[in-house]
Amino acid sequence: MEFKSLKNIETSFKQIRLFSIIFLCLCAAVTGYSVWSSYSFAEKQRQKIYVLDDGKSLMLALSQDLFQNRPVEAKEHVRRFHELFFTLSPDKNAIESNINRALFLVDKSAFRYYKDLSEKGYYNRVVSGNINQGVQVDSIVCNFDAYPYKAVTYARQMIIRESNVTERSLVTRCNLINSVRSDNNPHGFTMESFEILENRDIRLLER
């Protein structure tokens, strides 16, 4: 009876030792995996750049900056369109290039103005008469209280001929809607319902 008890004790010790070895192996495996995972995670984090803006997280900073910059971007979008659309030189290719770039910023409402002027021979007269036309935007008033945003532009046109310079008052308005940013439309706006409210001579300067 005593021999059987000793044998049971010895078997129990063997089982405990086996379980202990298995447990230690599992602990070693878990520890090794944890160390390896931590090292891999640290390596990945070192490959990233984190930006803080006044202590804010990157996404928060970007979203706030985007909202704050929209009025500025809207005015710059409108200004850029007017500079491209109304700046002309006695070069047919230059005119077409500027008009095409301007039309990426607006809907078909501006294209109708271009088509009308083209059919009336305005651009041909600019080329044949060696005329340069420039535009200076004085101010852009945007209303961001309602969407689509409304913008009114006050500008001056300078039509330069060999004998004189004609200064004209130019007032336009349009609606602005959000659109996808691209190389041709970096500000992410599209002008809709473009309309010329005023385009009249102010004075004539002899050269």
Side-chain angles (χ1 to χ4, degrees):
M1 190 71 178
E2 291 180 357
F3 177 76
K4 188 175 181 180
S5 298
L6 290 174
K7 186 175 181 181
N8 291 336
I9 293 173
E10 184 179 356
T11 302
S12 298
F13 276 128
K14 288 182 179 180
Q15 290 177 346
I16 292 173
R17 184 172 60 184
L18 178 62
F19 291 151
S20 298
I21 292 173
I22 294 173
F23 179 76
L24 289 175
C25 290
L26 289 174
C27 289
V30 171
T31 302
Y33 178 78
S34 299
V35 172
W36 177 81
S37 298
S38 300
Y39 179 79
S40 299
F41 179 78
E43 284 295 315
K44 291 179 180 179
Q45 297 309 304
R46 277 196 287 267
Q47 296 174 2
K48 297 180 180 179
I49 298 175
Y50 290 90
V51 179
L52 294 177
D53 183 22
D54 293 333
K56 300 190 296 282
S57 67
L58 176 60
M59 293 305 295
L60 180 60
L62 288 177
S63 63
Q64 290 182 350
D65 288 344
L66 180 62
F67 178 78
Q68 292 172 356
N69 287 334
R70 288 309 268 169
V72 177
E73 289 184 315
K75 291 183 178 181
E76 185 59 30
H77 182 92
V78 174
R79 182 188 306 276
R80 186 58 177 158
F81 167 79
H82 283 76
E83 290 173 350
L84 291 171
F85 194 80
F86 292 102
T87 298
L88 306 176
S89 62
D91 184 328
K92 184 177 180 181
N93 292 332
I95 292 174
E96 291 180 352
S97 176
N98 275 2
I99 294 296
N100 287 334
R101 290 163 63 192
L103 293 178
F104 279 112
L105 310 178
V106 69
D107 66 358
K108 292 184 178 181
S109 57
F111 179 76
R112 288 193 289 268
Y113 278 101
Y114 165 70
K115 198 70 175 176
D116 184 56
L117 290 173
S118 182
E119 290 175 352
K120 291 179 178 179
Y122 181 77
Y123 300 107
N124 290 333
R125 291 197 297 273
V126 169
V127 175
S128 62
N130 195 32
I131 299 172
N132 285 279
Q133 177 179 297
V135 64
Q136 179 180 343
V137 176
D138 294 326
S139 64
I140 301 171
V141 180
C142 294
N143 181 9
F144 283 88
D145 294 333
Y147 185 84
Y149 314 124
K150 299 185 181 299
V152 178
T153 304
Y154 301 89
R156 286 176 294 163
Q157 279 182 291
M158 304 298 290
I159 302 175
I160 305 171
R161 301 180 178 87
E162 291 183 2
S163 58
N164 57 61
V165 177
T166 303
E167 183 177 351
R168 298 177 63 86
S169 171
L170 176 65
V171 181
T172 69
R173 70 181 174 192
C174 67
N175 295 331
L176 287 169
I177 62 172
N178 295 316
S179 63
V180 178
R181 295 176 188 266
S182 66
D183 291 340
N184 295 317
N185 187 357
H187 299 112
F189 282 106
T190 296
M191 296 168 57
E192 288 187 332
S193 304
F194 175 74
E195 183 180 2
I196 297 177
L197 302 178
E198 179 182 281
N199 191 9
R200 61 179 178 85
D201 291 351
I202 298 177
R203 58 178 175 170
L204 181 66
L205 303 175
E206 300 293 335
R207 300 184 67 183

